[in-house]
Amino acid sequence: MHRSAPHLVLALLFLACSGAPAADPVDPAKPTLPPPAEGWGAVFHRGGVAVQVGGGGQLVGPRGVGEGSLGDAGACGGRVVTGGPEHPVLALPRGVTPAGAPEKPAANPAPVVEAAAWRVDEALPEPDRFTPRSPEEAQPARQRGVALGSVVKVRRYGGPPVLVASGTRDCNGLLAVLSSDAGERLATIEVPGGCAMGRVLPPADLDGDGTLETAYFSDDTVLLARLHLDEPSPRLETLGAWRCAP
């Protein structure tokens, strides 16, 4: 048994010096996209065709909930889906009946939109200083390369309303809860790796549990989150995410 130790040392030295490629180190501080939510699904749109990935129940869009019909195989391992609400985003779990449906949000004043863009800017990774500035950055919804997708006001019982906002910069997205004047960030979820501009699915109680659900959705990424407004400070809970490269 003792004679095998030198051979083990030699073998380890050979492996260390053989030039075999090492695995890339994992950065625990860098956010990663969570796995899909069990039972739920996402809907992506490719060339005017809606493709459902996962889920088995009703479809949810920015303006409502409705039934859809699955057809042939489509992109990203999904199936072509027809019917349902305009521009579906989520597919509910089979047998789930929503207690509410997304409603068209009211428009926000330009100063609030501009303040929301700054709050998103503060939370996203710093912009690439070599990227040339665009004249569009003078618009209220665009600050330092941020593309603000949505700002949705949500009223709550026993407290002031909050804003749910989304934004994107340099292929990093953000879902955020802001104070009613967009002067303060109350909760955030980073959405890494998605380059398309993300928007907010207006919050609604989609699974009937008494808590609101929302989503960050874009052409390549859908992130499902639960919005807790019955706590001293509003909170976002990530439920799952899907990605479908264009």
Side-chain angles (χ1 to χ4, degrees), residues 6-219:
H7 297 285
L8 177 60
V9 172
L10 288 173
L12 292 174
L13 287 173
F14 173 78
L15 289 174
C17 301
S18 62
D24 292 334
V26 176
D27 183 357
K30 187 175 182 180
T32 57
L33 204 64
E38 184 176 357
W40 294 73
V43 180
F44 298 92
H45 302 265
R46 295 289 177 269
V49 177
V51 179
Q52 178 178 328
V53 181
Q58 292 181 304
L59 302 181
V60 181
R63 303 291 182 267
V65 179
E67 297 286 345
S69 300
L70 292 175
D72 297 336
C76 299
R79 296 175 64 185
V80 174
V81 60
T82 55
E86 182 181 358
H87 200 286
V89 171
L90 291 171
L92 299 180
R94 193 179 304 277
V96 168
T97 301
E103 298 179 0
K104 182 179 180 179
N108 292 283
V112 172
V113 172
E114 186 171 12
W118 282 111
R119 300 294 82 77
V120 172
D121 164 65
E122 294 166 352
L124 285 171
E126 282 290 315
D128 182 356
R129 62 190 181 93
F130 297 106
T131 300
R133 293 187 177 183
S134 168
E136 292 183 344
E137 291 191 28
Q139 299 177 13
R142 291 181 180 268
Q143 305 292 339
R144 301 206 315 150
V146 169
L148 191 70
S150 304
V151 181
V152 179
K153 178 179 283 190
V154 183
R155 302 193 179 278
R156 57 177 176 149
Y157 178 78
V162 296
L163 303 175
V164 181
S166 64
T168 313
R169 178 171 61 203
D170 295 341
C171 293
N172 291 292
L174 188 80
L175 181 67
V177 180
L178 311 175
S179 59
S180 58
D181 62 355
E184 181 183 2
R185 289 194 319 275
L186 305 176
T188 60
I189 295 176
E190 293 185 53
V191 187
C195 295
M197 183 172 66
R199 300 187 182 276
V200 170
L201 182 71
D205 183 5
L206 298 179
D207 57 4
D209 68 347
T211 307
L212 301 178
E213 283 77 40
T214 185
Y216 171 106
F217 70 94
S218 71
D219 287 344

Side-chain angles (χ1 to χ4, degrees), residues 31-37 189-192 221-224 238-243:
T32 57
L33 204 64
I189 295 176
E190 293 185 53
V191 187
T221 305
V222 174
L223 183 141
L224 171 66
T238 304
L239 300 181
W242 299 259
R243 177 155 289 154

